[in-house]
Amino acid sequence: MSSPRIRQRPDRRTPALAVAFIMAAVGILGIWWSAAALIERQNLAGLDGLEGRTWESLLLILGAAGAVLLGLVLILVALIPGKAAVTPMRVPNVGPERNTVVTTKGLARIVNAEAERTEGTVGVRATGTPGRVKVLVDTVAPNGRDVRNLVSERSRDRFCSLRLKRVPRVAVRTRRKEKR
């Protein structure tokens, strides 16, 4: 059984494709109507507020071209998946055809757990990318530098124990809190 692909963003293909095709269709119709009206030299009719403009108006042509361009960009965004937000892991005693990964959210949760176990921390918030995990630690310790060094060291040790192929950098910031 194969697992679903891990993407950096949630799957938005259906709504993005629907909006993209609608925008592209509106733009193409606008350009087609403009070209037909330019050939016959007719004014716009039936659209309130635009009746004084002609089909050869630069504003209308640019608007239709913009709608086509926006539709094409949205189609590409919907069809091209995002880069996988994972970090590969080495797994001992498993065949070479097996691949295991940790998501960036998982990396942030690991650092979050290590920081919460550190003495002097009151609150922790961590976010991650495949190459870096940023941590904001609220601390009641008089010296935030000690807490920062301890959280950073514990996180790196934990990542090394997981046997990640590429250990992400851990950037820790501390913020002094007066009360728990």
Side-chain angles (χ1 to χ4, degrees):
M1 179 169 102
S2 67
S3 62
R5 290 185 53 100
I6 299 173
R7 291 196 187 108
Q8 190 169 4
R9 61 182 192 273
D11 192 19
R12 301 180 203 138
R13 277 188 193 185
T14 305
L17 279 173
V19 170
F21 281 119
I22 290 169
M23 293 298 296
V26 166
I28 290 170
L29 281 175
I31 290 174
W32 182 68
W33 285 335
S34 296
L38 279 173
I39 292 170
E40 297 176 11
R41 293 274 188 206
Q42 294 178 350
N43 286 340
L44 269 173
L47 299 174
D48 294 338
L50 296 177
E51 292 165 352
R53 299 209 179 264
T54 61
W55 280 104
E56 59 191 12
S57 170
L58 182 62
L59 179 67
L60 292 175
I61 293 172
L62 288 178
V68 169
L69 185 63
L70 180 63
L72 292 176
V73 167
L74 288 174
I75 289 171
L76 288 176
V77 167
L79 294 178
I80 299 172
K83 183 179 176 185
V86 296
T87 298
M89 288 177 60
R90 290 187 206 101
V91 182
N93 304 327
V94 178
E97 67 279 350
R98 299 278 181 164
N99 292 327
T100 304
V101 296
V102 176
T103 63
T104 56
K105 192 173 189 176
L107 293 173
R109 285 182 178 173
I110 289 168
V111 173
N112 204 2
E114 291 298 326
E116 285 177 350
R117 290 188 202 121
T118 304
E119 185 67 33
T121 59
V122 178
V124 180
R125 187 172 46 209
T127 58
T129 63
R132 170 186 261 192
V133 178
K134 294 180 184 179
V135 188
L136 177 61
V137 178
D138 295 331
T139 182
V140 292
N143 189 357
R145 187 175 298 149
D146 294 338
V147 173
R148 182 175 59 223
N149 291 339
L150 192 56
V151 168
S152 181
E153 181 182 325
R154 287 179 126 192
S155 300
R156 272 188 255 118
D157 290 345
R158 181 72 173 128
F159 287 154
C160 289
S161 72
L162 289 175
R163 298 182 182 196
L164 299 175
K165 287 187 179 178
R166 187 178 65 227
V167 178
R169 291 187 329 202
V170 179
V172 182
R173 276 188 22 218
T174 57
R175 188 167 53 181
R176 176 106 165 97
K177 291 286 184 176
E178 296 299 321
K179 298 180 184 178
R180 281 188 181 249

